[in-house]
Amino acid sequence: MNIYVLLKRTFDTEEKITLVNGKINEDGVEFIINPYDEYAVEEAIQVRDAQGGEVTVVTVANEFAEKQLRTALAMGADKAVLINIEEDVAYGDPFTTAKIISEYLKDKDADLIIAGNVAIDGGSGQVGPRVAELLNIPYITTITQLKIDGINVSVTRDVEGDAEIIETSLPLLVTAQQGLNEPRYPSLPGIMKARKKPFEELELDDLDIEEADVAAKTKTIEIFLPSKKEAGKVLSGDMSEQVKELVQLLRAEAKVI
Amino acid sequence: MARKVLVLGEVRDGFLRNVSFEAIGAAILAADGGEVVGVIVGESIQSFGDELIQYGADRVVTVEDAKLGQYTSDGYAQAILAVIDAEKPEGIIFGHTALGKDLAPRIAGKLNSGLISDVTSIEEAGGNLVFTRPIYSGKAFEKKIVTDGVIFATIRPNNIEPLRKDESRTGAVSSLRVEIKDLRAIIKDVIRKATDGVDLSEAKVVIAGGRGVKSEEGFKPLKELAQVLGGAVGASRGACDANYCEYSLQIGQTGKVVTPDLYIACGISGAIQHLAGMSNSKVIVAINKDPEANIFKIADYGIVGDLFEVVPLLIEECKKLKINA
Ligand SMILES: Cc1cc2nc3c(=O)[nH]c(=O)nc-3n(C[C@H](O)[C@H](O)[C@H](O)COP(=O)(O)OP(=O)(O)OC[C@H]3O[C@@H](n4cnc5c(N)ncnc54)[C@H](O)[C@@H]3O)c2cc1C
Ligand SMILES: Cc1cc2nc3c(=O)[nH]c(=O)nc-3n(C[C@H](O)[C@H](O)[C@H](O)COP(=O)(O)OP(=O)(O)OC[C@H]3O[C@@H](n4cnc5c(N)ncnc54)[C@H](O)[C@@H]3O)c2cc1C
């Protein structure tokens, strides 16, 4: 089985966001594998271990994403591909990313592609479905279970809390939802092995992509931080009086009940 | 600039979702005087057309087919692309719901267009339609414009005002026949878990429990309070990890992002990942026995105390309010 994982490098969830010159400040920030993509890596490894085959982790990023790709290799992925766009594209949107990924994947005969359901930074949730559409293969988003039998696939999909059981077939793209699995931590031998695993770095030229082919269709014109919430009123006194006061405040002052 | 804007009316469990009325509100802003056309897709949904019009759509196109009884991206994409082909809109608005998230990127892919997801406000500025959306799970926001092709956006529930329903408004409801074929994925079964009616991401009131709730049983009073206030129950990851509730209730950076009018956090410490999912709620109440808990830093109102004492009292008070109302 030829399995590909789409992986994005993203800010650690602990990070606070600050701006410099109207842009997100990346100085001193810790980066991680997008948490949903960790589920994707784990699932890919489990499918490979059950079915045989190979797991390739792909990212579109700058050189710094090597660290997150090495982590995925240490978890057990077989190969990593870094499509380094640093030199070529100044601005991208989810279309750009999806187009680059699909150009890379179009001749790879992928049986299964696993992405995260959403990136916790950009947050559009577009890249998975867009890649599937560009490759003209079916996709199922927000999955919490994946069962493969030959080319037949049974998937459980989380739909706002309900679970849909869906039958489809390979080739297929799925996006991972929380609950799919428990991602493993890289082991020490895993980390040692990761250093020697195939690691390919590509540029748009290598994929025969012109910058104009992947030009973004949307543009960010401003980034801002939400207005800081002031700490409010902590009530005091007898508990039943506090609760009465709270309900009164919610009714008369905040007008929300 | 007047634009023709298409809006998807999403029917769930026999009702049009509130977010679809909000989407009409958004479409009217985007249309800037142009026509707003509702689209409804499903098995027998013709009757919902009038309601979309009462909420501000100028007319409605429906696509009905037995194969559209359940949502699949293949089926819905064929139906909606056929409507887009017939109507040639300059703008398209969906709700940023499970369906909208699943379907919109595919349609944008087919149209070779951009897509601005999870929009919380829309304004016309400097000759452009400007969309505001959260990034970094609400820790920041960005303003975006479309630079190429049709203007396409999905809107986050609870953020854009719908118009008031006007039962005297009328308009044409027409149907388009589309041959739905080649469904590559088939829904075999749906297991209902979200039984309590109000959907978490659309709820006006959210009662959320954390590790302080201590057990599955401990969520009972929270559920009762949610019921009294017509809201939904949510949770921190702490509570989900401890198996007190399903992961589908998780709110935060790796869960749902919610923006209700009222968020009541019970026994939640207020970790940064949790705050990302709820800090843009209009009014936040924190109930926590630790006066130093981080959640108090962003709460509008706080009660320092045992949630098992406070929540039952709150239920009683809210019930009284109902009786007096
Ligand atoms: C050339 C280029 C320049 C960019 N410049 C900017 C910029 O200036 N400002 C800005 O804010 N953003 C920029 N971006 C990022 C871009 O706007 C989006 O963040 C990105 O396209 C993914 O969208 P998303 O974060 O919403 O991911 P989502 O669609 O939410 O991600 C869902 C899933 O798709 C996969 N995925 C997403 N992104 C990647 C990736 N890069 N590689 C592999 N898999 C991925 C992952 O599996 C992820 O879980 C740029 C991107 C590119 C390619
Ligand atoms: C990658 C990553 C992603 C994450 N994503 C999320 C996410 O999406 N959402 C999320 O919520 N978390 C997320 N987390 C976890 C987050 O860091 C916290 O661990 C989690 O939010 C803590 O949950 P909690 O507040 O319920 O538990 P705790 O931090 O243990 O807090 C429990 C609180 O309950 C109070 N309490 C106890 N008993 C009572 C009582 N009887 N009455 C009143 N108060 C009481 C305590 O004083 C305490 O403040 C993520 C973490 C990581 C690393």
Side-chain angles (χ1 to χ4, degrees), chain B residues 145-162:
Chain B
I145 57 172
V146 173
T147 49
D148 180 18
V150 61
I151 293 172
F152 194 175
T154 59
I155 62 155
R156 172 181 292 198
N158 272 347
N159 282 268
I160 295 169
E161 279 288 315

Side-chain angles (χ1 to χ4, degrees), chain A residues 120-165:
Chain A
I120 60 165
D121 49 3
S124 77
Q126 292 182 28
V127 171
R130 275 190 184 265
V131 167
E133 173 60 34
L134 287 164
L135 296 172
N136 194 24
I137 61 171
Y139 65 86
I140 314 280
T141 55
T142 58
I143 70 159
T144 55
Q145 197 177 56
L146 177 66
K147 288 188 207 154
I148 299 176
D149 180 11
I151 70 154
N152 297 321
V153 182
S154 168
V155 177
T156 305
R157 171 166 186 252
D158 167 48
V159 187
E160 293 167 358
D162 291 337
E164 280 180 3
I165 318 292

